[in-house]
Amino acid sequence: MATALNRVEDSSFELPANDADDDYRPSADEAFMNSRQQAYFRMKLLRWKEAIRKEAETTLSQLQVEPLREADLTDRASSETDWSIELRTRDRQRKLIAKIDAALRRLDEGEYGFCEVTGEPISLGRLEARPIATMTVEAQERHERNEKVSRED
């Protein structure tokens, strides 16, 4: 599990100069995925990735500094459970970083913001709430319904 955290910790990158204003919010009144919107979502993704990386660093340093030393078996079990939950969270976040990196690649390739199923633009509200979204809400709902049906078979 620590290797997963190390991978997150070792991934070094720098936040670019802020191309988008801090007050700027994409609007439906402008051209979809214009350069300003692209810069906005790039910064949003990079800041999210950096926040996850910093959390992973904190967890890793706490694991190294605070080994489990509780003498009482119940306290020790409780601490081990807490750390297990923390490590599972970090593993989920490691997977999230892969999705963020994929979204950044789509930005570079000019595919960001467009549904991978229908090719239609993904709503700005959805991208704002879930910047790693790859499908429109409708396509995602269809996908989840099909998944549910195939799981029930």
Side-chain angles (χ1 to χ4, degrees):
M1 198 65 87
T3 15
L5 290 173
N6 286 336
R7 272 185 260 146
V8 172
E9 183 179 316
D10 292 342
S11 65
S12 60
F13 62 92
E14 291 181 29
L15 289 175
N18 194 354
D19 296 318
D21 300 332
D22 285 336
D23 296 337
Y24 172 75
R25 292 287 177 262
S27 159
D29 298 338
E30 56 189 326
F32 186 72
M33 279 304 125
N34 61 48
S35 60
R36 197 168 184 200
Q37 287 182 358
Q38 289 177 15
Y40 171 82
F41 284 110
R42 181 176 308 281
M43 284 304 300
K44 187 174 187 78
L45 289 162
L46 288 173
R47 285 180 178 152
W48 192 12
K49 182 176 175 177
E50 180 65 10
I52 292 169
R53 190 189 66 74
K54 284 181 180 178
E55 286 178 25
E57 272 181 16
T58 302
T59 299
L60 210 82
S61 64
Q62 285 177 345
L63 274 172
Q64 293 167 347
V65 173
E66 300 174 19
L68 295 175
R69 293 186 186 154
E70 289 84 359
D72 182 68
L73 288 177
T74 306
D75 290 343
R76 184 177 183 100
S78 178
S79 291
E80 287 176 359
T81 300
D82 291 346
W83 277 116
S84 175
I85 291 168
E86 183 72 22
L87 290 172
R88 276 191 304 233
T89 299
R90 295 295 160 245
D91 191 48
R92 279 193 301 274
Q93 288 181 332
R94 179 188 54 81
K95 292 172 186 172
L96 181 58
I97 283 181
K99 291 180 181 183
I100 292 171
D101 287 339
L104 290 167
R105 272 192 304 283
R106 287 193 308 276
L107 260 167
D108 292 339
E109 296 165 0
E111 298 171 1
Y112 182 81
F114 295 92
C115 180
E116 67 183 11
V117 175
T118 65
E120 296 173 12
I122 299 171
S123 73
L124 291 172
R126 178 162 170 74
L127 289 172
E128 187 71 42
R130 183 114 175 121
I132 58 173
T134 59
M135 291 184 250
T136 61
V137 172
E138 297 79 12
Q140 184 71 42
E141 287 172 347
R142 276 193 306 275
H143 174 74
E144 289 173 5
R145 270 195 307 273
N146 290 340
E147 242 182 28
K148 183 179 177 186
V149 167
S150 63
R151 267 188 268 148
E152 291 174 354
D153 289 341

